[in-house]
Amino acid sequence: MTNYLIKKAFEELSEMELKHIEDCLEKDAPIMPTYSYLIKMKKLIENPYSEEYESPIVIKHRISLRYALIAVLLMIMFTTTVIAFTPVREKLKDIIITLFSDHVDIDSIEEVEPDEANFVIKIPHKIPEGYHLYKETKEDNTVHMQWIDNEDNTLDYFEQPSSELSITITSDSSEVRDITIGTKHGKMFTDKEHNITTVLYEEEGVTFILIGCRPEEEMIQIADTIY
Amino acid sequence: MLVYLSLLDTDEDKKHFSILYETYNRQLLYVAVKMLHNQEQAEDCVHETFMRLVKHIDKIDARTYKVLERFRKEQQSGKDIKLTEYLDTLEKEKKMVCYKTWGYLVTILKSIIINFLRKESRFISINDSKDIFTGYGPDMEEEVIRDRELSELKKNIAKLPETYQQVLMLQYFHELSSSEIGQILGKSSDNIRHISKRARDKLRTLMVRGGYLYDELSDKKGF
């Protein structure tokens, strides 16, 4: 395969190509160049070596890059603004938590310093049938009592000053709702997966927590007997 | 250098450029529209082709202009004649300079279009170039075999990816160096050499499969 043969092949291929295209031009609908194209070509023919010309293809990509750069700068400015202004940041944080989290931390709304002299130990007086007291701890302003039934279901009661609260209630996958216990306002967490209900309320700087496997209404009734 | 300087901004130069535009513009636009399916983009690519031609117009054989000028005069005198029909009436050497010029222009155009499609993420790989409009026509499959070897070579060249064809065309048909081809196609001369090597290897493989035994194609001087 000599270089000559390759050259001859390309000669004939070019000839075939141009003949084919001319045949197609005769048969197909004519391609009418646009006015803008004709103007551009006229300028190019009149002054082929002008330095004003820029590749039309490059220009289009430059324009796209320009828009992309502006978009990136706007995003950076927006992000900086959000981070810089606390109210905006907090609001955004709340929105993100609401949208993406099924996890709610309950903090004490009011921290009332308990009067040590007024820390009164209170206990629930209605215990479900079949439960017996299993454990009781009363020390350092913390009360923990646990009842248990024959099937090892537990009912836990905690009483602790809110300022010293060492118990963290989290409610992964739990429903949370506001409840009324007599005249008191509290929260109920229902973990349906594990069938655990938690009742929590605060009174005069002391937090009362009841955790058990009993129905919701029963838990509220038990909490109502805490005195 | 002096030759180049004499080409700058002369009326002669503009006249030559004008002849090339008037002769080949329709055909180039047709190829571009067939490849891009978008007239606006096709016009941009053809415009870019002529802009590149301006920079490399010295590569065009000067005999082309005389032939094409006579063709224009034939057309202006009222004869409805196609360029290829006119060229068929000429002696082989004069005919070939015009086809060579066509090959040069269409190679630049296809190179611009392929780069454009790549940037637009519309061209996935070089192996997909079979979708690219080659325009060789039905004769490629059915031509009367005058010379089987040459015929086989042409068919195998047509099977090569478009970029390989472009480099081989400019290397062997136009006898340009790797740096000159690189300037025309917008690639480095090293890249051109690599493409040329791969193209020759692939062509050789295709020819061997067709039953023709070849040694490796020799590099041309300047590669």
Side-chain angles (χ1 to χ4, degrees):
Chain A
M1 187 163 56
T2 62
N3 294 351
Y4 164 76
L5 210 58
I6 296 270
K7 185 173 175 178
K8 197 163 162 51
F10 274 116
E11 277 177 6
E12 296 194 10
L13 281 170
S14 295
E15 185 177 348
M16 282 169 66
E17 185 177 44
L18 189 56
K19 280 182 176 171
H20 173 62
I21 287 166
E22 291 209 317
D23 288 341
C24 290
L25 278 168
E26 260 190 349
K27 292 173 197 164
D28 291 355
I31 296 170
M32 304 304 297
T34 58
Y35 178 70
S36 60
Y37 172 73
L38 292 171
I39 296 292
K40 273 193 291 193
M41 286 310 303
K42 185 170 177 264
K43 282 184 186 170
L44 184 61
I45 291 164
E46 283 169 3
N47 194 1
Y49 296 102
S50 169
E51 289 181 1
E52 292 173 9
Y53 296 123
E54 288 190 57
S55 163
I57 297 163
V58 170
I59 286 173
K60 280 184 180 146
H61 283 96
R62 206 174 289 163
I63 289 171
S64 307
L65 281 172
R66 198 180 295 163
Y67 286 141
L69 196 60
I70 291 169
V72 168
L73 283 171
L74 282 172
M75 276 172 58
I76 292 171
M77 281 169 59
F78 173 73
T79 310
T80 315
T81 307
V82 166
I83 293 169
F85 286 97
T86 308
V88 177
R89 193 171 65 235
E90 292 297 320
K91 188 73 183 166
L92 193 62
K93 182 185 159 190
D94 291 341
I95 291 168
I96 290 169
I97 288 170
T98 308
L99 281 173
F100 295 108
S101 179
D102 59 358
H103 168 110
V104 176
D105 284 333
I106 301 296
D107 299 323
S108 292
I109 298 164
E110 292 175 11
E111 283 196 19
V112 176
E113 289 291 332
D115 185 342
E116 281 194 16
N118 287 339
F119 182 77
V120 175
I121 293 172
K122 298 179 184 178
I123 58 171
H125 286 79
K126 182 192 172 187
I127 303 301
E129 213 169 298
Y131 280 76
H132 61 272
L133 186 63
Y134 175 70
K135 138 167 107 171
E136 186 177 356
T137 326
K138 292 175 186 176
E139 59 183 29
D140 296 332
N141 289 343
T142 301
V143 176
H144 176 217
M145 296 174 77
Q146 187 179 73
W147 293 266
I148 195 166
D149 69 1
N150 294 337
E151 290 165 12
D152 288 334
N153 294 315
T154 57
L155 179 68
D156 287 273
Y157 166 73
F158 296 92
E159 180 186 347
Q160 197 172 32
S162 301
S163 59
E164 297 168 21
L165 194 62
S166 59
I167 302 157
T168 303
I169 307 293
T170 55
S171 60
D172 292 325
S173 306
S174 296
E175 290 176 10
V176 184
R177 63 187 177 96
D178 293 323
I179 54 171
T180 305
I181 308 152
T183 56
K184 301 178 281 284
H185 297 288
K187 296 236 181 248
M188 173 176 278
F189 304 84
T190 308
D191 183 353
K192 287 186 177 166
E193 190 184 345
H194 300 102
N195 197 27
I196 295 173
T197 304
T198 303
V199 171
L200 175 151
Y201 70 92
E202 190 184 18
E203 191 177 32
E204 292 175 355
V206 179
T207 301
F208 302 88
I209 302 168
L210 202 57
I211 305 171
C213 304
R214 306 304 297 174
E216 290 179 2
E217 287 310 312
E218 192 177 346
M219 291 296 286
I220 293 174
Q221 286 168 8
I222 296 169
D224 202 22
T225 65
I226 295 173
Y227 60 87
Chain B
M1 183 64 175
L2 283 173
V3 171
Y4 176 72
L5 283 173
S6 72
L7 287 174
L8 288 174
D9 278 335
T10 59
D11 288 339
E12 189 84 12
D13 187 47
K14 289 177 189 173
K15 189 180 163 192
H16 290 163
F17 189 72
S18 176
I19 288 169
L20 291 172
Y21 166 71
E22 283 168 16
T23 309
Y24 295 110
N25 175 61
R26 280 178 69 226
Q27 296 89 333
L28 290 171
L29 201 53
Y30 183 82
V31 171
V33 169
K34 281 292 173 189
M35 288 175 78
L36 291 166
H37 307 289
N38 179 310
Q39 183 159 342
E40 194 189 329
Q41 289 170 352
E43 286 178 351
D44 284 343
C45 289
V46 174
H47 185 230
E48 175 79 13
T49 303
F50 281 108
M51 280 176 64
R52 286 206 197 167
L53 173 68
V54 165
K55 292 176 190 169
H56 302 284
I57 202 161
D58 52 320
K59 304 287 185 303
I60 304 293
D61 194 315
R63 291 173 290 178
T64 309
Y65 305 118
K66 288 181 188 162
V67 173
L68 294 182
E69 248 183 313
R70 278 189 227 118
F71 167 68
R72 302 302 299 174
K73 280 179 185 164
E74 291 272 328
Q75 277 196 323
Q76 280 158 12
S77 69
K79 277 188 188 172
D80 183 21
I81 183 171
K82 289 191 285 192
L83 173 63
T84 48
E85 286 171 357
Y86 175 74
L87 292 177
D88 281 341
T89 63
L90 304 177
E91 60 191 57
K92 191 184 171 188
E93 204 179 308
K94 286 183 182 172
K95 181 169 84 169
M96 275 307 139
V97 293
C98 294
Y99 285 125
K100 203 172 168 180
T101 303
W102 161 253
Y104 185 73
L105 287 170
V106 81
T107 301
I108 297 175
L109 174 66
K110 286 179 183 175
S111 160
I112 290 166
I113 288 172
I114 287 171
N115 286 338
F116 175 75
L117 289 173
R118 279 200 179 120
K119 281 178 188 169
E120 295 275 305
S121 304
R122 282 162 61 184
F123 188 61
I124 297 166
S125 77
I126 202 167
N127 293 323
D128 291 339
S129 64
K130 296 230 181 357
D131 295 334
I132 300 292
F133 174 74
T134 59
Y136 292 131
D139 289 347
M140 177 50 56
E141 299 297 325
E142 298 163 5
E143 69 168 357
V144 173
I145 298 167
R146 292 174 284 110
D147 183 328
R148 286 192 65 213
E149 189 178 0
L150 182 62
S151 175
E152 189 72 19
L153 186 59
K154 285 191 295 184
K155 284 180 188 171
N156 288 328
I157 287 172
K159 286 179 191 171
L160 292 176
E162 196 56 48
T163 309
Y164 288 10
Q165 289 184 39
Q166 289 163 13
V167 171
L168 290 182
M169 153 91 77
L170 293 172
Q171 182 183 356
Y172 289 97
F173 191 22
H174 296 273
E175 297 176 333
L176 301 177
S177 68
S178 59
S179 57
E180 286 169 331
I181 296 173
Q183 282 171 21
I184 291 164
L185 300 183
K187 296 182 190 333
S188 67
S189 56
D190 282 340
N191 196 3
I192 296 298
R193 279 192 284 271
H194 289 139
I195 294 172
S196 172
K197 173 82 170 54
R198 287 198 295 267
R200 283 178 279 127
D201 288 344
K202 192 163 172 80
L203 191 56
R204 179 172 169 272
T205 305
L206 289 170
M207 291 301 287
V208 165
R209 275 190 208 153
Y212 295 91
L213 296 175
Y214 285 113
D215 292 330
E216 192 172 323
L217 254 186
S218 59
D219 254 335
K220 289 199 65 70
K221 190 181 173 182
F223 251 69

